Amino acid sequence: MYRDPVQLLEPLPSRSAAPHALRVGMIGIGTVGSGTFRVLARNQAEIAGRAGRPIEVVMVAARNLARAAAVVGGNVPLTDDPLRVATHPDVDVVVEVAGGTGPARDWVLAAIAHGKHVVTANKALLAVHGAEIFAAARQHGVAVAYEGAVAVSVPIVKALREGLTANRIEWVAGIINGTTNFILSKMRDEGLDFGAALVQAQALGYAEADPAFDVQGIDAAHKLTLLAANAFGTPVRFDDVQVEGITALQRVDVACAEQLGYRIKLLGVARRRKDGVELRVQPALVPASHLMAHVNGSMNGIMVKGDAAGVTMYYGAGAGSEQTASAVIADLVDVARLAGTSAAQRVPHLGFHAHAMNTLPVVSRADVCSSHYLRVPVHAASGIEAVAGWAAGRQLPVRQVALAAGQAGTAPQVLVLTQPVRQAAMDLALGALQALPAVAGAITALRVEELA
């Protein structure tokens, strides 16, 4: 796909910008890259005024050079070799917006090794290879900035690293994948099943042809990895995130949640506990009156609870070319302001300086304590008595047992809401419930998050 790196790099053509312009080399000129180029060109005066000097794209690497030329015009040199951009002496900062975790790792590490700052919107790259990349950046005294990797237009990384720096963060929770939020909104608003809502998301460009990363919760887990690291001062730990997607979610559960006064959202949750931290992505019920329940469509919403600030909320677009470009350029402005500063004076990559980072244990799934929603199909409405008896016999802290409304033509459904209970105890109790003669099919269990 790309050529081998050249050994001798010719100087780039002289530019019309001021001599101290920040010279940007871009790897990728697709959705995010083209948006970044457009916004830089359109708002160049405002951006230079904030950065203290011009920011200029001086080189672009792309797979399709003809398509790239249509975006950047004839004055920006193009190449099909990303390593040429990553290593060119006339490039000050490399913007990596091509995506992926294999070649992108090599390009970013090459740029760092050549003393270049890096700006990226590639959450998968940092979730998987972040420890290596951030260590290399510290060694070479360069910055790696990634606001666009987490929640697109929402400046949540800056909020955690700077705005909330006085706080001991207790938890971070949010809707951090616009595709799944769009699907869940359609399932609620239009009564669609998962498959039909996914087709709409794909038709409108919210979901890829292969939507697995989104609907299986992996994309949200990548982002949660970075949020948790910035919130708690821990290394990036993608492999430790407990991940559950929305592919098995049924529209009947969306309707039943509404009956109980809740809405279902795919949440990323990072919570500090005395014995470690919880790192989990899962569909969960949120009170319908809660602000998070009103984050709809492809929008993102993130809440942070700090011991001093209390609960704060951040809301904005979860996808989009220029929306992501807004975050990428904000990172470029931060990089432009670094001139003359030592690495020790800069905001650390993950909010905490390396010597202050700690590896908190990750709480196992069995030890996560939360409220639960259960939907139990029964042979007859009288089965509600068997379910209530099961709860009493297991001494589960149940706060509501009810029959689902409006399910004509299907087996009656008993709905259960519990008080907080350990997952291990819940799993044992569910095994006993599933075995009851009154139960007519598979039980659905979801967590309930009050976010208070």
Side-chain angles (χ1 to χ4, degrees), residues 349-403:
H349 297 117
L350 294 172
F352 291 74
H353 286 282
H355 68 272
M357 299 286 286
N358 60 85
T359 305
L360 298 172
V362 176
V363 176
S364 69
R365 177 183 177 276
D367 287 329
V368 171
C369 187
S370 70
S371 299
H372 291 263
Y373 153 93
L374 309 178
R375 178 174 56 82
V376 188
V378 292
H379 293 291
S382 60
I384 191 171
E385 298 173 0
V387 174
W390 155 84
R394 287 279 164 173
Q395 297 183 325
L396 277 180
V398 171
R399 56 191 168 107
Q400 187 174 353
V401 180
L403 281 172

Side-chain angles (χ1 to χ4, degrees), residues 114-332:
H114 282 75
K116 303 182 190 309
H117 303 295
V118 171
V119 171
T120 182
N122 190 340
K123 81 282 294 185
L125 172 69
L126 296 181
V128 175
H129 298 297
E132 178 185 21
I133 289 170
F134 293 132
R138 286 193 297 272
Q139 178 185 350
H140 291 279
V142 299
V144 175
Y146 50 92
E147 187 71 72
V150 178
V152 183
S153 67
V154 183
I156 185 62
V157 173
K158 188 175 287 290
L160 287 170
R161 290 195 315 195
E162 299 176 47
L164 296 173
T165 192
N167 288 257
R168 185 178 192 270
I169 303 299
E170 298 180 22
W171 54 260
V172 180
I175 297 165
I176 47 181
N177 180 271
T179 300
T180 51
N181 201 44
F182 176 87
I183 290 170
L184 292 173
S185 297
K186 286 293 181 180
M187 291 176 73
R188 177 177 63 84
D189 295 341
E190 300 179 15
L192 301 179
D193 61 23
F194 169 79
L198 173 59
V199 168
Q200 280 200 21
Q202 289 172 320
L204 293 171
Y206 291 124
E208 302 288 342
D210 180 0
F213 262 42
D214 292 320
V215 299
Q216 293 176 5
I218 298 169
D219 176 80
H222 287 149
K223 297 169 182 176
L224 184 70
T225 298
L226 297 171
L227 288 174
N230 280 279
F232 307 132
T234 61
V236 289
R237 302 167 73 178
F238 170 68
D239 290 340
D240 291 331
V241 181
Q242 299 156 28
V243 186
E244 180 184 350
I246 65 169
T247 54
L249 197 65
Q250 299 181 47
R251 61 181 173 181
V252 62
D253 292 302
V254 175
C256 288
E258 290 282 328
Q259 176 185 333
L260 296 171
Y262 290 86
R263 293 178 181 173
I264 298 177
K265 298 292 184 181
L266 183 71
L267 293 180
V269 179
R271 188 183 302 274
R272 188 196 297 268
R273 296 185 1 177
K274 291 181 180 178
D275 55 347
V277 294
E278 297 175 12
L279 298 176
R280 48 194 173 89
V281 170
Q282 80 272 308
L285 277 70
V286 177
S289 59
H290 197 283
L291 283 173
M292 196 67 76
H294 297 275
V295 178
N296 294 316
S298 63
M299 304 301 283
N300 281 189
I302 303 168
M303 302 189 83
V304 183
K305 185 174 183 180
D307 65 334
V311 177
T312 54
M313 183 169 178
Y314 309 84
Y315 171 88
S321 173
E322 294 197 357
Q323 291 85 349
T324 311
S326 173
V328 170
I329 295 169
D331 282 340
L332 285 172

